[in-house]
PDB file of all heavy atoms in Angstrom:
ATOM      1  N   PRO A   1      20.260 -40.328  47.644  1.00 97.00           N
ATOM      2  CA  PRO A   1      19.741 -40.437  49.009  1.00 97.00           C
ATOM      3  C   PRO A   1      18.997 -41.754  49.248  1.00 97.00           C
ATOM      4  O   PRO A   1      19.093 -42.338  50.334  1.00 97.00           O
ATOM      5  CB  PRO A   1      18.806 -39.246  49.168  1.00 97.00           C
ATOM      6  CG  PRO A   1      18.973 -38.392  47.983  1.00 97.00           C
ATOM      7  CD  PRO A   1      19.776 -39.136  46.966  1.00 97.00           C
ATOM      8  N   LEU A   2      18.275 -42.235  48.236  1.00 98.00           N
ATOM      9  CA  LEU A   2      17.554 -43.497  48.397  1.00 98.00           C
ATOM     10  C   LEU A   2      18.523 -44.676  48.489  1.00 98.00           C
ATOM     11  O   LEU A   2      18.322 -45.595  49.273  1.00 98.00           O
ATOM     12  CB  LEU A   2      16.568 -43.681  47.255  1.00 98.00           C
ATOM     13  CG  LEU A   2      15.408 -42.666  47.231  1.00 98.00           C
ATOM     14  CD1 LEU A   2      14.617 -42.786  45.938  1.00 98.00           C
ATOM     15  CD2 LEU A   2      14.514 -42.835  48.444  1.00 98.00           C
ATOM     16  N   ALA A   3      19.591 -44.634  47.716  1.00 98.00           N
ATOM     17  CA  ALA A   3      20.609 -45.685  47.790  1.00 98.00           C
ATOM     18  C   ALA A   3      21.287 -45.685  49.156  1.00 98.00           C
ATOM     19  O   ALA A   3      21.552 -46.743  49.732  1.00 98.00           O
ATOM     20  CB  ALA A   3      21.643 -45.508  46.685  1.00 98.00           C
ATOM     21  N   HIS A   4      21.541 -44.504  49.692  1.00 97.00           N
ATOM     22  CA  HIS A   4      22.157 -44.409  51.021  1.00 97.00           C
ATOM     23  C   HIS A   4      21.243 -44.981  52.103  1.00 97.00           C
ATOM     24  O   HIS A   4      21.725 -45.408  53.156  1.00 97.00           O
ATOM     25  CB  HIS A   4      22.522 -42.961  51.350  1.00 97.00           C
ATOM     26  CG  HIS A   4      23.723 -42.459  50.615  1.00 97.00           C
ATOM     27  ND1 HIS A   4      24.981 -42.982  50.764  1.00 97.00           N
ATOM     28  CD2 HIS A   4      23.851 -41.456  49.696  1.00 97.00           C
ATOM     29  CE1 HIS A   4      25.841 -42.349  49.995  1.00 97.00           C
ATOM     30  NE2 HIS A   4      25.169 -41.424  49.314  1.00 97.00           N
ATOM     31  N   LEU A   5      19.947 -45.001  51.844  1.00 97.00           N
ATOM     32  CA  LEU A   5      18.995 -45.586  52.792  1.00 97.00           C
ATOM     33  C   LEU A   5      18.873 -47.102  52.620  1.00 97.00           C
ATOM     34  O   LEU A   5      18.096 -47.734  53.322  1.00 97.00           O
ATOM     35  CB  LEU A   5      17.622 -44.927  52.637  1.00 97.00           C
ATOM     36  CG  LEU A   5      17.549 -43.462  53.076  1.00 97.00           C
ATOM     37  CD1 LEU A   5      16.201 -42.863  52.688  1.00 97.00           C
ATOM     38  CD2 LEU A   5      17.787 -43.354  54.579  1.00 97.00           C
ATOM     39  N   GLY A   6      19.600 -47.663  51.672  1.00 98.00           N
ATOM     40  CA  GLY A   6      19.611 -49.108  51.488  1.00 98.00           C
ATOM     41  C   GLY A   6      18.764 -49.630  50.350  1.00 98.00           C
ATOM     42  O   GLY A   6      18.673 -50.846  50.152  1.00 98.00           O
ATOM     43  N   HIS A   7      18.119 -48.748  49.604  1.00 98.00           N
ATOM     44  CA  HIS A   7      17.309 -49.187  48.471  1.00 98.00           C
ATOM     45  C   HIS A   7      18.210 -49.474  47.268  1.00 98.00           C
ATOM     46  O   HIS A   7      19.319 -48.964  47.166  1.00 98.00           O
ATOM     47  CB  HIS A   7      16.263 -48.125  48.119  1.00 98.00           C
ATOM     48  CG  HIS A   7      15.338 -47.832  49.255  1.00 98.00           C
ATOM     49  ND1 HIS A   7      14.419 -48.746  49.728  1.00 98.00           N
ATOM     50  CD2 HIS A   7      15.209 -46.745  50.050  1.00 98.00           C
ATOM     51  CE1 HIS A   7      13.753 -48.230  50.733  1.00 98.00           C
ATOM     52  NE2 HIS A   7      14.217 -47.011  50.957  1.00 98.00           N
ATOM     53  N   ARG A   8      17.722 -50.306  46.357  1.00 98.00           N
ATOM     54  CA  ARG A   8      18.438 -50.659  45.128  1.00 98.00           C
ATOM     55  C   ARG A   8      17.796 -49.905  43.974  1.00 98.00           C
ATOM     56  O   ARG A   8      16.579 -49.982  43.799  1.00 98.00           O
ATOM     57  CB  ARG A   8      18.366 -52.168  44.889  1.00 98.00           C
ATOM     58  CG  ARG A   8      19.102 -52.962  45.962  1.00 98.00           C
ATOM     59  CD  ARG A   8      18.776 -54.448  45.907  1.00 98.00           C
ATOM     60  NE  ARG A   8      17.449 -54.672  46.503  1.00 98.00           N
ATOM     61  CZ  ARG A   8      16.375 -55.095  45.845  1.00 98.00           C
ATOM     62  NH1 ARG A   8      16.438 -55.407  44.586  1.00 98.00           N
ATOM     63  NH2 ARG A   8      15.228 -55.254  46.467  1.00 98.00           N
ATOM     64  N   LEU A   9      18.595 -49.172  43.231  1.00 98.00           N
ATOM     65  CA  LEU A   9      18.047 -48.323  42.182  1.00 98.00           C
ATOM     66  C   LEU A   9      18.560 -48.661  40.803  1.00 98.00           C
ATOM     67  O   LEU A   9      19.713 -49.057  40.650  1.00 98.00           O
ATOM     68  CB  LEU A   9      18.397 -46.852  42.466  1.00 98.00           C
ATOM     69  CG  LEU A   9      17.515 -46.263  43.564  1.00 98.00           C
ATOM     70  CD1 LEU A   9      18.200 -46.273  44.874  1.00 98.00           C
ATOM     71  CD2 LEU A   9      16.994 -44.934  43.166  1.00 98.00           C
ATOM     72  N   THR A  10      17.681 -48.468  39.828  1.00 98.00           N
ATOM     73  CA  THR A  10      18.065 -48.425  38.431  1.00 98.00           C
ATOM     74  C   THR A  10      17.848 -46.980  38.020  1.00 98.00           C
ATOM     75  O   THR A  10      16.718 -46.486  38.036  1.00 98.00           O
ATOM     76  CB  THR A  10      17.213 -49.380  37.572  1.00 98.00           C
ATOM     77  OG1 THR A  10      17.427 -50.710  38.030  1.00 98.00           O
ATOM     78  CG2 THR A  10      17.585 -49.273  36.107  1.00 98.00           C
ATOM     79  N   ALA A  11      18.932 -46.289  37.719  1.00 98.00           N
ATOM     80  CA  ALA A  11      18.890 -44.874  37.382  1.00 98.00           C
ATOM     81  C   ALA A  11      19.041 -44.726  35.873  1.00 98.00           C
ATOM     82  O   ALA A  11      20.060 -45.104  35.309  1.00 98.00           O
ATOM     83  CB  ALA A  11      20.008 -44.133  38.112  1.00 98.00           C
ATOM     84  N   VAL A  12      18.006 -44.191  35.221  1.00 97.00           N
ATOM     85  CA  VAL A  12      17.982 -44.079  33.761  1.00 97.00           C
ATOM     86  C   VAL A  12      18.011 -42.606  33.358  1.00 97.00           C
ATOM     87  O   VAL A  12      17.233 -41.799  33.879  1.00 97.00           O
ATOM     88  CB  VAL A  12      16.714 -44.745  33.174  1.00 97.00           C
ATOM     89  CG1 VAL A  12      16.679 -44.619  31.667  1.00 97.00           C
ATOM     90  CG2 VAL A  12      16.613 -46.196  33.615  1.00 97.00           C
ATOM     91  N   ASP A  13      18.904 -42.288  32.441  1.00 97.00           N
ATOM     92  CA  ASP A  13      18.954 -40.935  31.884  1.00 97.00           C
ATOM     93  C   ASP A  13      19.563 -41.031  30.492  1.00 97.00           C
ATOM     94  O   ASP A  13      20.313 -41.963  30.205  1.00 97.00           O
ATOM     95  CB  ASP A  13      19.787 -40.003  32.762  1.00 97.00           C
ATOM     96  CG  ASP A  13      19.447 -38.537  32.504  1.00 97.00           C
ATOM     97  OD1 ASP A  13      19.961 -37.951  31.534  1.00 97.00           O
ATOM     98  OD2 ASP A  13      18.632 -37.992  33.274  1.00 97.00           O
ATOM     99  N   LYS A  14      19.255 -40.059  29.641  1.00 96.00           N
ATOM    100  CA  LYS A  14      19.837 -40.075  28.297  1.00 96.00           C
ATOM    101  C   LYS A  14      21.242 -39.481  28.275  1.00 96.00           C
ATOM    102  O   LYS A  14      21.953 -39.611  27.299  1.00 96.00           O
ATOM    103  CB  LYS A  14      18.932 -39.349  27.297  1.00 96.00           C
ATOM    104  CG  LYS A  14      18.814 -37.863  27.497  1.00 96.00           C
ATOM    105  CD  LYS A  14      17.898 -37.272  26.442  1.00 96.00           C
ATOM    106  CE  LYS A  14      17.762 -35.784  26.589  1.00 96.00           C
ATOM    107  NZ  LYS A  14      16.893 -35.228  25.540  1.00 96.00           N
ATOM    108  N   SER A  15      21.655 -38.850  29.363  1.00 97.00           N
ATOM    109  CA  SER A  15      22.964 -38.210  29.422  1.00 97.00           C
ATOM    110  C   SER A  15      23.990 -39.082  30.153  1.00 97.00           C
ATOM    111  O   SER A  15      23.896 -39.277  31.370  1.00 97.00           O
ATOM    112  CB  SER A  15      22.864 -36.857  30.135  1.00 97.00           C
ATOM    113  OG  SER A  15      24.157 -36.337  30.375  1.00 97.00           O
ATOM    114  N   SER A  16      24.955 -39.569  29.417  1.00 97.00           N
ATOM    115  CA  SER A  16      26.026 -40.345  30.045  1.00 97.00           C
ATOM    116  C   SER A  16      26.869 -39.457  30.960  1.00 97.00           C
ATOM    117  O   SER A  16      27.420 -39.932  31.964  1.00 97.00           O
ATOM    118  CB  SER A  16      26.909 -41.002  28.986  1.00 97.00           C
ATOM    119  OG  SER A  16      27.493 -40.028  28.148  1.00 97.00           O
ATOM    120  N   ILE A  17      26.928 -38.170  30.662  1.00 97.00           N
ATOM    121  CA  ILE A  17      27.669 -37.233  31.513  1.00 97.00           C
ATOM    122  C   ILE A  17      26.980 -37.099  32.866  1.00 97.00           C
ATOM    123  O   ILE A  17      27.636 -37.119  33.913  1.00 97.00           O
ATOM    124  CB  ILE A  17      27.813 -35.865  30.820  1.00 97.00           C
ATOM    125  CG1 ILE A  17      28.674 -36.011  29.562  1.00 97.00           C
ATOM    126  CG2 ILE A  17      28.390 -34.813  31.761  1.00 97.00           C
ATOM    127  CD1 ILE A  17      28.681 -34.811  28.653  1.00 97.00           C
ATOM    128  N   ALA A  18      25.655 -36.971  32.867  1.00 97.00           N
ATOM    129  CA  ALA A  18      24.917 -36.883  34.131  1.00 97.00           C
ATOM    130  C   ALA A  18      25.091 -38.166  34.937  1.00 97.00           C
ATOM    131  O   ALA A  18      25.337 -38.125  36.148  1.00 97.00           O
ATOM    132  CB  ALA A  18      23.441 -36.615  33.864  1.00 97.00           C
ATOM    133  N   LEU A  19      24.993 -39.307  34.285  1.00 98.00           N
ATOM    134  CA  LEU A  19      25.136 -40.584  34.991  1.00 98.00           C
ATOM    135  C   LEU A  19      26.532 -40.754  35.583  1.00 98.00           C
ATOM    136  O   LEU A  19      26.683 -41.348  36.649  1.00 98.00           O
ATOM    137  CB  LEU A  19      24.815 -41.748  34.051  1.00 98.00           C
ATOM    138  CG  LEU A  19      23.351 -41.863  33.616  1.00 98.00           C
ATOM    139  CD1 LEU A  19      23.220 -42.906  32.519  1.00 98.00           C
ATOM    140  CD2 LEU A  19      22.453 -42.190  34.794  1.00 98.00           C
ATOM    141  N   ALA A  20      27.526 -40.227  34.912  1.00 97.00           N
ATOM    142  CA  ALA A  20      28.905 -40.348  35.402  1.00 97.00           C
ATOM    143  C   ALA A  20      29.154 -39.483  36.635  1.00 97.00           C
ATOM    144  O   ALA A  20      30.161 -39.663  37.320  1.00 97.00           O
ATOM    145  CB  ALA A  20      29.883 -39.977  34.300  1.00 97.00           C
ATOM    146  N   ALA A  21      28.232 -38.589  36.945  1.00 96.00           N
ATOM    147  CA  ALA A  21      28.419 -37.658  38.054  1.00 96.00           C
ATOM    148  C   ALA A  21      28.147 -38.281  39.425  1.00 96.00           C
ATOM    149  O   ALA A  21      28.454 -37.672  40.441  1.00 96.00           O
ATOM    150  CB  ALA A  21      27.521 -36.430  37.866  1.00 96.00           C
ATOM    151  N   PHE A  22      27.572 -39.479  39.457  1.00 96.00           N
ATOM    152  CA  PHE A  22      27.272 -40.089  40.758  1.00 96.00           C
ATOM    153  C   PHE A  22      27.454 -41.593  40.698  1.00 96.00           C
ATOM    154  O   PHE A  22      27.252 -42.219  39.670  1.00 96.00           O
ATOM    155  CB  PHE A  22      25.859 -39.720  41.227  1.00 96.00           C
ATOM    156  CG  PHE A  22      24.744 -40.284  40.392  1.00 96.00           C
ATOM    157  CD1 PHE A  22      24.061 -41.416  40.799  1.00 96.00           C
ATOM    158  CD2 PHE A  22      24.365 -39.681  39.205  1.00 96.00           C
ATOM    159  CE1 PHE A  22      23.026 -41.937  40.044  1.00 96.00           C
ATOM    160  CE2 PHE A  22      23.326 -40.192  38.436  1.00 96.00           C
ATOM    161  CZ  PHE A  22      22.659 -41.323  38.876  1.00 96.00           C
ATOM    162  N   HIS A  23      27.848 -42.147  41.835  1.00 96.00           N
ATOM    163  CA  HIS A  23      28.078 -43.588  41.952  1.00 96.00           C
ATOM    164  C   HIS A  23      27.694 -44.059  43.339  1.00 96.00           C
ATOM    165  O   HIS A  23      27.840 -43.326  44.315  1.00 96.00           O
ATOM    166  CB  HIS A  23      29.555 -43.927  41.709  1.00 96.00           C
ATOM    167  CG  HIS A  23      30.041 -43.512  40.365  1.00 96.00           C
ATOM    168  ND1 HIS A  23      29.794 -44.247  39.237  1.00 96.00           N
ATOM    169  CD2 HIS A  23      30.738 -42.425  39.971  1.00 96.00           C
ATOM    170  CE1 HIS A  23      30.319 -43.630  38.198  1.00 96.00           C
ATOM    171  NE2 HIS A  23      30.892 -42.521  38.616  1.00 96.00           N
ATOM    172  N   HIS A  24      27.196 -45.246  43.418  1.00 98.00           N
ATOM    173  CA  HIS A  24      26.894 -45.908  44.687  1.00 98.00           C
ATOM    174  C   HIS A  24      26.727 -47.387  44.363  1.00 98.00           C
ATOM    175  O   HIS A  24      26.181 -47.734  43.313  1.00 98.00           O
ATOM    176  CB  HIS A  24      25.605 -45.344  45.306  1.00 98.00           C
ATOM    177  CG  HIS A  24      25.361 -45.810  46.692  1.00 98.00           C
ATOM    178  ND1 HIS A  24      24.835 -47.049  46.969  1.00 98.00           N
ATOM    179  CD2 HIS A  24      25.583 -45.209  47.883  1.00 98.00           C
ATOM    180  CE1 HIS A  24      24.732 -47.183  48.287  1.00 98.00           C
ATOM    181  NE2 HIS A  24      25.187 -46.084  48.856  1.00 98.00           N
ATOM    182  N   PRO A  25      27.169 -48.274  45.252  1.00 98.00           N
ATOM    183  CA  PRO A  25      27.045 -49.714  44.962  1.00 98.00           C
ATOM    184  C   PRO A  25      25.604 -50.187  44.761  1.00 98.00           C
ATOM    185  O   PRO A  25      25.378 -51.207  44.119  1.00 98.00           O
ATOM    186  CB  PRO A  25      27.664 -50.394  46.180  1.00 98.00           C
ATOM    187  CG  PRO A  25      28.351 -49.346  46.959  1.00 98.00           C
ATOM    188  CD  PRO A  25      27.872 -48.013  46.501  1.00 98.00           C
ATOM    189  N   ASN A  26      24.625 -49.454  45.282  1.00 98.00           N
ATOM    190  CA  ASN A  26      23.217 -49.847  45.147  1.00 98.00           C
ATOM    191  C   ASN A  26      22.561 -49.280  43.893  1.00 98.00           C
ATOM    192  O   ASN A  26      21.354 -49.431  43.721  1.00 98.00           O
ATOM    193  CB  ASN A  26      22.410 -49.391  46.366  1.00 98.00           C
ATOM    194  CG  ASN A  26      22.723 -50.181  47.606  1.00 98.00           C
ATOM    195  OD1 ASN A  26      23.506 -51.125  47.588  1.00 98.00           O
ATOM    196  ND2 ASN A  26      22.133 -49.790  48.722  1.00 98.00           N
ATOM    197  N   ILE A  27      23.332 -48.619  43.044  1.00 98.00           N
ATOM    198  CA  ILE A  27      22.767 -47.980  41.852  1.00 98.00           C
ATOM    199  C   ILE A  27      23.345 -48.597  40.590  1.00 98.00           C
ATOM    200  O   ILE A  27      24.556 -48.699  40.435  1.00 98.00           O
ATOM    201  CB  ILE A  27      23.043 -46.461  41.848  1.00 98.00           C
ATOM    202  CG1 ILE A  27      22.408 -45.791  43.069  1.00 98.00           C
ATOM    203  CG2 ILE A  27      22.511 -45.830  40.561  1.00 98.00           C
ATOM    204  CD1 ILE A  27      22.753 -44.327  43.214  1.00 98.00           C
ATOM    205  N   VAL A  28      22.434 -48.996  39.699  1.00 98.00           N
ATOM    206  CA  VAL A  28      22.810 -49.445  38.358  1.00 98.00           C
ATOM    207  C   VAL A  28      22.413 -48.332  37.402  1.00 98.00           C
ATOM    208  O   VAL A  28      21.266 -47.881  37.410  1.00 98.00           O
ATOM    209  CB  VAL A  28      22.070 -50.761  37.984  1.00 98.00           C
ATOM    210  CG1 VAL A  28      22.335 -51.125  36.537  1.00 98.00           C
ATOM    211  CG2 VAL A  28      22.459 -51.873  38.920  1.00 98.00           C
ATOM    212  N   HIS A  29      23.363 -47.871  36.594  1.00 98.00           N
ATOM    213  CA  HIS A  29      23.101 -46.826  35.612  1.00 98.00           C
ATOM    214  C   HIS A  29      22.643 -47.445  34.290  1.00 98.00           C
ATOM    215  O   HIS A  29      23.144 -48.495  33.892  1.00 98.00           O
ATOM    216  CB  HIS A  29      24.362 -46.004  35.331  1.00 98.00           C
ATOM    217  CG  HIS A  29      24.835 -45.214  36.490  1.00 98.00           C
ATOM    218  ND1 HIS A  29      25.979 -45.510  37.150  1.00 98.00           N
ATOM    219  CD2 HIS A  29      24.308 -44.130  37.105  1.00 98.00           C
ATOM    220  CE1 HIS A  29      26.153 -44.642  38.131  1.00 98.00           C
ATOM    221  NE2 HIS A  29      25.153 -43.795  38.128  1.00 98.00           N
ATOM    222  N   ALA A  30      21.714 -46.751  33.619  1.00 96.00           N
ATOM    223  CA  ALA A  30      21.271 -47.161  32.287  1.00 96.00           C
ATOM    224  C   ALA A  30      21.131 -45.898  31.443  1.00 96.00           C
ATOM    225  O   ALA A  30      20.310 -45.033  31.748  1.00 96.00           O
ATOM    226  CB  ALA A  30      19.949 -47.909  32.366  1.00 96.00           C
ATOM    227  N   CYS A  31      21.951 -45.785  30.423  1.00 96.00           N
ATOM    228  CA  CYS A  31      21.918 -44.618  29.548  1.00 96.00           C
ATOM    229  C   CYS A  31      21.002 -44.920  28.361  1.00 96.00           C
ATOM    230  O   CYS A  31      21.359 -45.707  27.475  1.00 96.00           O
ATOM    231  CB  CYS A  31      23.332 -44.273  29.083  1.00 96.00           C
ATOM    232  SG  CYS A  31      23.421 -42.707  28.202  1.00 96.00           S
ATOM    233  N   HIS A  32      19.819 -44.306  28.359  1.00 95.00           N
ATOM    234  CA  HIS A  32      18.822 -44.522  27.301  1.00 95.00           C
ATOM    235  C   HIS A  32      18.039 -43.242  27.073  1.00 95.00           C
ATOM    236  O   HIS A  32      17.694 -42.553  28.031  1.00 95.00           O
ATOM    237  CB  HIS A  32      17.827 -45.624  27.677  1.00 95.00           C
ATOM    238  CG  HIS A  32      18.431 -46.968  27.805  1.00 95.00           C
ATOM    239  ND1 HIS A  32      18.823 -47.720  26.720  1.00 95.00           N
ATOM    240  CD2 HIS A  32      18.737 -47.704  28.887  1.00 95.00           C
ATOM    241  CE1 HIS A  32      19.329 -48.863  27.138  1.00 95.00           C
ATOM    242  NE2 HIS A  32      19.290 -48.871  28.459  1.00 95.00           N
ATOM    243  N   ASP A  33      17.720 -42.959  25.838  1.00 94.00           N
ATOM    244  CA  ASP A  33      16.828 -41.858  25.490  1.00 94.00           C
ATOM    245  C   ASP A  33      15.433 -42.456  25.387  1.00 94.00           C
ATOM    246  O   ASP A  33      15.093 -43.097  24.389  1.00 94.00           O
ATOM    247  CB  ASP A  33      17.254 -41.203  24.176  1.00 94.00           C
ATOM    248  CG  ASP A  33      16.423 -39.979  23.853  1.00 94.00           C
ATOM    249  OD1 ASP A  33      15.330 -39.799  24.444  1.00 94.00           O
ATOM    250  OD2 ASP A  33      16.860 -39.184  22.998  1.00 94.00           O
ATOM    251  N   LEU A  34      14.643 -42.268  26.407  1.00 89.00           N
ATOM    252  CA  LEU A  34      13.324 -42.891  26.480  1.00 89.00           C
ATOM    253  C   LEU A  34      12.322 -42.287  25.501  1.00 89.00           C
ATOM    254  O   LEU A  34      11.271 -42.864  25.268  1.00 89.00           O
ATOM    255  CB  LEU A  34      12.784 -42.793  27.904  1.00 89.00           C
ATOM    256  CG  LEU A  34      13.625 -43.536  28.946  1.00 89.00           C
ATOM    257  CD1 LEU A  34      13.150 -43.200  30.351  1.00 89.00           C
ATOM    258  CD2 LEU A  34      13.575 -45.030  28.709  1.00 89.00           C
ATOM    259  N   GLU A  35      12.651 -41.140  24.939  1.00 91.00           N
ATOM    260  CA  GLU A  35      11.735 -40.501  23.989  1.00 91.00           C
ATOM    261  C   GLU A  35      11.917 -41.005  22.568  1.00 91.00           C
ATOM    262  O   GLU A  35      11.010 -40.898  21.752  1.00 91.00           O
ATOM    263  CB  GLU A  35      11.906 -38.985  24.046  1.00 91.00           C
ATOM    264  CG  GLU A  35      11.490 -38.409  25.387  1.00 91.00           C
ATOM    265  CD  GLU A  35      11.703 -36.911  25.473  1.00 91.00           C
ATOM    266  OE1 GLU A  35      12.130 -36.293  24.478  1.00 91.00           O
ATOM    267  OE2 GLU A  35      11.451 -36.365  26.548  1.00 91.00           O
ATOM    268  N   THR A  36      13.084 -41.557  22.243  1.00 92.00           N
ATOM    269  CA  THR A  36      13.335 -41.962  20.869  1.00 92.00           C
ATOM    270  C   THR A  36      13.694 -43.437  20.713  1.00 92.00           C
ATOM    271  O   THR A  36      13.703 -43.939  19.591  1.00 92.00           O
ATOM    272  CB  THR A  36      14.474 -41.125  20.251  1.00 92.00           C
ATOM    273  OG1 THR A  36      15.669 -41.333  21.007  1.00 92.00           O
ATOM    274  CG2 THR A  36      14.138 -39.641  20.252  1.00 92.00           C
ATOM    275  N   ALA A  37      14.009 -44.114  21.793  1.00 85.00           N
ATOM    276  CA  ALA A  37      14.428 -45.512  21.702  1.00 85.00           C
ATOM    277  C   ALA A  37      13.364 -46.426  22.306  1.00 85.00           C
ATOM    278  O   ALA A  37      12.464 -45.977  23.024  1.00 85.00           O
ATOM    279  CB  ALA A  37      15.758 -45.705  22.435  1.00 85.00           C
ATOM    280  N   ALA A  38      13.479 -47.697  22.023  1.00 88.00           N
ATOM    281  CA  ALA A  38      12.550 -48.683  22.590  1.00 88.00           C
ATOM    282  C   ALA A  38      12.759 -48.773  24.104  1.00 88.00           C
ATOM    283  O   ALA A  38      13.838 -48.485  24.620  1.00 88.00           O
ATOM    284  CB  ALA A  38      12.800 -50.047  21.946  1.00 88.00           C
ATOM    285  N   TRP A  39      11.720 -49.178  24.798  1.00 90.00           N
ATOM    286  CA  TRP A  39      11.775 -49.337  26.254  1.00 90.00           C
ATOM    287  C   TRP A  39      12.870 -50.345  26.603  1.00 90.00           C
ATOM    288  O   TRP A  39      12.823 -51.490  26.165  1.00 90.00           O
ATOM    289  CB  TRP A  39      10.425 -49.803  26.777  1.00 90.00           C
ATOM    290  CG  TRP A  39      10.391 -50.007  28.258  1.00 90.00           C
ATOM    291  CD1 TRP A  39      10.273 -51.198  28.903  1.00 90.00           C
ATOM    292  CD2 TRP A  39      10.472 -49.007  29.279  1.00 90.00           C
ATOM    293  NE1 TRP A  39      10.282 -51.006  30.267  1.00 90.00           N
ATOM    294  CE2 TRP A  39      10.406 -49.662  30.519  1.00 90.00           C
ATOM    295  CE3 TRP A  39      10.610 -47.623  29.263  1.00 90.00           C
ATOM    296  CZ2 TRP A  39      10.454 -48.979  31.722  1.00 90.00           C
ATOM    297  CZ3 TRP A  39      10.665 -46.950  30.463  1.00 90.00           C
ATOM    298  CH2 TRP A  39      10.579 -47.631  31.673  1.00 90.00           C
ATOM    299  N   PRO A  40      13.867 -49.927  27.397  1.00 88.00           N
ATOM    300  CA  PRO A  40      15.028 -50.802  27.651  1.00 88.00           C
ATOM    301  C   PRO A  40      14.860 -51.784  28.799  1.00 88.00           C
ATOM    302  O   PRO A  40      15.726 -52.620  29.014  1.00 88.00           O
ATOM    303  CB  PRO A  40      16.124 -49.784  27.991  1.00 88.00           C
ATOM    304  CG  PRO A  40      15.381 -48.679  28.659  1.00 88.00           C
ATOM    305  CD  PRO A  40      14.064 -48.598  27.917  1.00 88.00           C
TER     306      PRO A  40
END
């Protein structure tokens, strides 16, 4: 919804399956486990 309003997003999740479920030109996906990996 925020991307549809014209905002630019970096969407971070540890699940590549969840990230693959949505797309928008204003969204950059980043697959990272923030609990076990270094800050990306």
